[in-house]
């Protein structure tokens, strides 16, 4: 039998030291931070040596080096926690001095990525964001040759759109999850709807709440569990705000929910929360965004962006059809196998090997 991606990672003589460069504060929640930290863990488990370098003030250790405090910069209708602290440049270069290859996420985000770009090392670059127009212009101005012939990757075709063709071919390597971790043995609650996201406009929490009022009028037993956000003041009946949730709690809540809603309004390049919800067996109702379509295919219900009435109708119809909810949940669980870590890790290790060979 041919070896799979995980087996390829531990062949004698092929192990590497990888420097994973995260532009965003490692002490704050976020999809890019989560991917970088988990990628470092997976590489170490496979036998490689890996260090994750990024902003943060917590003590470094466990394969991470934190290089300075972060500040919030508005970008992509969100707030990005990046570092502009003095001394970052030298600390980044010191942390990466002995690696075989640097893996730079969002390379033009200051200052961590800039410092990594300046190093004479084989490089893999990963684009995550559905970038605004100015980012595309920045990439066109920035000379791709300055990256020392990097291997270019993006988490989706949407994320790759900012890279000028002159830089070379872009490999699509999706975000990854531990699929098995979401398949928790808990009772699924028929009327439970889940939402996960920060309380910022592009995540669509207000749209979800408006839709839920309509859903509740038709299905009085429905409940909406909101993870990742918290609000004070009156809460609509049936809504529970959980705020920040630990990873095991997130797994249990998703596994106990029948439907997951993602009424995001834009700025998404992948939709890792959709993959998480599908892995947990939820039926997914999401905004009809290009990045979301690439994740869910035909195994979810897509509604017009920003339309709370359409969201309410779609969820209400599912709550009235438990058999369809189950079919969507099963189809989604089968689909997300392509995002499981063994598959994605093998693709990144191949990118590292190619970068080293080209360097």
């Amino acid at each position: 039998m041919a070896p799979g991606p995980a087996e390829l990672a531990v062949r004698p003589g092929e192990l590497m030291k990888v420097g994973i460069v995260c532009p965003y504060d490692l002490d704050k929640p976020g999809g890019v931070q989560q991917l970088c930290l988990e990628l470092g863990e997976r590489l170490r488990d496979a036998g490689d040596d890996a260090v994750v370098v990024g902003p943060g003030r917590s003590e470094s250790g466990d394969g991470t080096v934190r290089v300075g405090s972060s500040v919030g910069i508005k970008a992509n209708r969100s707030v990005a926690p990046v570092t502009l602290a003095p001394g970052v440049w030298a600390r980044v270069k010191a942390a990466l001095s002995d690696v075989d290859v640097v893996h730079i996420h969002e390379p033009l985000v200051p200052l961590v990525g800039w410092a990594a770009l300046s190093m004479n090392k084989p490089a893999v670059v990963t684009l995550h964001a559905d970038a605004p127009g100015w980012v595309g212009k920045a990439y066109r101005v920035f000379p791709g040759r300055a990256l020392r012939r990097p291997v270019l990757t993006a988490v989706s075709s949407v994320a790759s759109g900012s890279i000028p063709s002159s830089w070379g071919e872009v490999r699509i390597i999706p975000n990854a999850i531990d699929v098995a971790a979401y398949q928790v043995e808990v009772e699924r609650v028929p009327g439970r709807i889940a939402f996960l996201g920060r309380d910022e406009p592009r995540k669509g929490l207000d749209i979800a709440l408006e839709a839920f009022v309509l859903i509740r009028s038709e299905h009085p037993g429905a409940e909406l569990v909101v993870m990742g956000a918290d609000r004070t003041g009156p809460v609509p009946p049936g809504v529970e705000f959980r705020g920040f949730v630990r990873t095991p709690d997130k797994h249990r809540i998703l596994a106990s929910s029948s439907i997951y809603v993602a009424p995001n309004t834009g700025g998404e390049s992948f939709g890792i929360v959709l993959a998480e919800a599908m892995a947990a067996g939820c039926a997914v109702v999401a905004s009809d965004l290009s990045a979301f379509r690439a994740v869910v295919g035909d195994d979810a219900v897509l509604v017009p962006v920003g339309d709370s009435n359409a969201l309410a109708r779609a969820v209400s119809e599912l709550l009235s059809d438990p058999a369809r909810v189950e079919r969507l949940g099963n189809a989604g669980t089968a689909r997300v196998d392509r995002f499981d870590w063994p598959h994605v890790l093998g693709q990144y290790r191949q990118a590292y090997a190619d970068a080293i060979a080209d360097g």
Side-chain angles (χ1 to χ4, degrees), residues 316-337:
S316 293
E317 289 173 3
L318 284 178
L319 291 176
S320 299
D321 192 351
R324 188 182 177 208
V325 170
E326 184 175 3
R327 286 196 302 272
L328 284 172
N330 291 338
T333 300
R335 180 177 178 81
V336 295
D337 184 62

Side-chain angles (χ1 to χ4, degrees), residues 121-140:
K121 296 275 188 180
V124 174
V125 166
T126 295
L127 282 297
H128 290 265
D130 177 11
W134 68 265
V135 172
K137 293 178 182 177
Y139 281 120
R140 286 191 291 273

Side-chain angles (χ1 to χ4, degrees), residues 164-225:
S165 59
S166 61
W167 280 33
E169 180 185 357
V170 180
R171 305 181 190 185
I172 304 300
I173 303 179
N175 283 323
I177 61 172
D178 181 357
V179 171
Y182 289 85
Q183 296 167 359
V184 182
E185 291 293 331
V186 296
E187 181 180 358
R188 199 172 297 279
V189 180
R192 179 169 293 170
I193 305 160
F195 171 97
L196 172 61
R198 297 184 297 274
D199 193 357
E200 55 189 38
R202 75 184 183 99
K203 298 301 182 182
L205 177 56
D206 286 333
I207 296 168
L209 294 172
E210 291 171 8
F212 184 71
V213 173
L214 301 175
I215 294 165
R216 181 90 169 181
S217 66
E218 188 170 339
H219 298 275
E223 56 181 281
L224 175 64
V225 181

Side-chain angles (χ1 to χ4, degrees), residues 274 278 291-302 335 338-339:
L274 304 188
M278 294 169 84
F292 283 4
R293 287 198 300 272
V295 173
V296 302
D298 297 325
D299 299 319
V301 178
L302 298 178
R335 180 177 178 81
R338 71 193 66 188
F339 307 129

Side-chain angles (χ1 to χ4, degrees), residues 69-119:
S69 58
S70 65
V71 294
I73 302 295
K74 290 185 178 180
N76 201 21
R77 292 194 286 168
S78 182
V79 178
V82 305
T83 183
L84 305 175
V88 163
W89 201 278
R91 287 193 287 271
V92 169
K93 297 187 77 165
L96 299 173
S97 61
D98 63 344
V99 303
D100 300 314
V101 58
V102 291
H103 183 181
I104 309 169
H105 295 258
E106 300 291 23
L108 295 193
V109 174
L111 283 173
V112 173
W114 297 2
L117 288 174
S118 73
M119 302 191 68

